[in-house]
């Protein structure tokens, strides 16, 4: 799969790391909508981007904020899917995909190894309207991705993954659960598979800190849903239970515009 990095200036050394994940719904569109201001705000040491819809050459003219290096995993199909990591903390290694050709054509996974953990940036498949891709998502992808996480964890470091997971786990994670049952992202199959993943030894970090309702990360662009906060929480940071003592803070940033998703963050010691 297409994979590229861009060298920048000296990396930052930090005792704690601020991590941000954001489905930008097209990195070129997001850049036109003020994304660079957010990147330059110092909100994160590492930005994990999903649905970039771009290849590195499409943004080669962009001067990323000083000190960041950009890594890309782009879909074979132009203008579709894709992930990227911008980091000012030097990774030991960065690798694309999960090692299975059937899943590795859409640029959905990009993993950075740091001294104390593996960080996996993922854009999980959407089951699509009419659930046309539900069988692939729940019958093939979910199991393969969990197996990938387990295999990565056996390398001796805990695993932290983030991204647009395209599932609202519990009723509390969307504004209208009753009317959305059997819709993509809120089927029993998707939710059960996410429960299975958490039961394998992972923590939904936002819920670790915030048990209350009304916190969403995606809003339909119709019916003024964002202003009315009629949304879904589908973007996550999920941590190996071994990292629990290191979790310092998790947050959602609905005030940040530029996409139909907003950034989510995690601070880790």
């Amino acid at each position: 799969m297409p994979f590229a990095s861009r060298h920048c200036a000296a990396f930052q050394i930090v005792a704690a790391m601020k991590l941000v994940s954001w489905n930008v719904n097209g990195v070129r569109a997001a850049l036109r909508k003020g994304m660079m201001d957010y990147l330059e705000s110092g909100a994160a040491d590492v930005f994990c981007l999903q649905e970039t819809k771009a290849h590195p050459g499409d943004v080669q003219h962009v001067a990323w904020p000083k000190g960041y290096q950009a890594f890309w995993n782009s879909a074979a199909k132009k203008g579709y899917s894709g992930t990227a990591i911008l980091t000012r903390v030097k990774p030991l290694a960065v690798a694309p995909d999960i090692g299975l050709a059937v899943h590795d054509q859409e640029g959905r996974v990009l993993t950075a190894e740091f001294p104390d953990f593996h960080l996996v940036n993922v854009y999980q498949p959407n089951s699509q309207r009419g659930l046309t891709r539900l069988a692939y998502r729940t019958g093939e992808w979910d199991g393969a991705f969990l197996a990938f996480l387990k295999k990565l964890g056996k390398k001796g470091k805990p695993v932290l993954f983030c991204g647009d997971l395209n599932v609202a786990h519990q009723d509390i994670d969307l504004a209208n659960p009753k009317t959305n049952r059997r819709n993509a992202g809120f089927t029993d199959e998707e939710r059960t598979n996410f429960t299975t993943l958490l039961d394998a030894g992972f923590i939904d970090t936002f819920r670790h800190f915030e048990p209350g309702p009304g916190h969403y990360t995606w809003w339909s662009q119709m019916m003024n849903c964002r202003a009315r906060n009629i949304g879904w929480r589908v973007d996550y940071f999920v941590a190996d239970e071994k990292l629990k003592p290191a979790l310092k803070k998790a947050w959602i940033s609905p005030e940040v515009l530029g996409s139909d998703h907003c950034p989510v963050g995690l601070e880790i010691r």
Side-chain angles (χ1 to χ4, degrees), residues 126-127 131 134 137 166-192 232-234 236:
N126 190 305
S127 293
L131 304 181
L134 179 65
R137 163 63 191 266
N166 267 312
V167 59
H169 186 212
Q170 303 291 351
D171 284 8
I172 197 176
D173 292 318
L174 69 168
N176 294 315
K178 290 183 179 180
T179 57
N180 280 292
R181 294 198 182 280
R182 295 309 296 168
N183 283 341
F186 200 59
T187 64
D188 291 342
E189 296 94 324
E190 292 162 308
R191 298 167 67 198
T192 296
W232 297 49
R233 189 175 74 96
V234 295
Y236 299 77

Side-chain angles (χ1 to χ4, degrees), residues 27-153:
V27 67
R28 288 169 288 182
L31 284 166
R32 293 192 297 268
K33 297 175 183 177
M35 172 185 166
M36 189 63 75
D37 291 339
Y38 179 65
L39 298 180
E40 291 176 341
S41 71
D45 299 301
V46 182
F47 289 97
C48 293
L49 309 179
Q50 304 90 42
E51 204 173 2
T52 53
K53 299 181 181 179
H55 286 69
D58 297 328
V59 289
Q60 61 183 346
H61 62 286
V62 176
W64 301 109
K66 184 178 179 180
Y68 285 92
Q69 185 169 0
F71 298 89
W72 298 83
N73 189 17
S74 304
K77 179 181 177 181
K78 288 280 190 177
Y80 179 73
S81 188
T83 48
I85 293 175
L86 303 177
T87 179
R88 60 185 181 191
V89 179
K90 186 176 183 179
L92 301 177
V94 180
D97 303 323
I98 64 174
L100 295 172
V102 67
H103 301 302
D104 290 346
Q105 301 302 308
E106 298 181 353
R108 292 189 177 275
V109 175
L110 189 56
T111 302
E113 180 184 356
F114 293 100
D116 298 317
F117 59 91
H118 295 279
L119 175 63
V120 180
N121 179 21
V122 58
Y123 176 40
Q124 295 206 137
N126 190 305
S127 293
Q128 300 295 334
R129 181 173 296 181
L131 304 181
T132 57
R133 219 179 183 198
L134 179 65
Y136 168 71
R137 163 63 191 266
T138 59
E140 300 179 44
W141 168 271
D142 284 347
F145 183 63
L146 178 55
F148 168 74
L149 296 176
K150 289 180 176 179
K151 183 178 179 180
L152 194 60

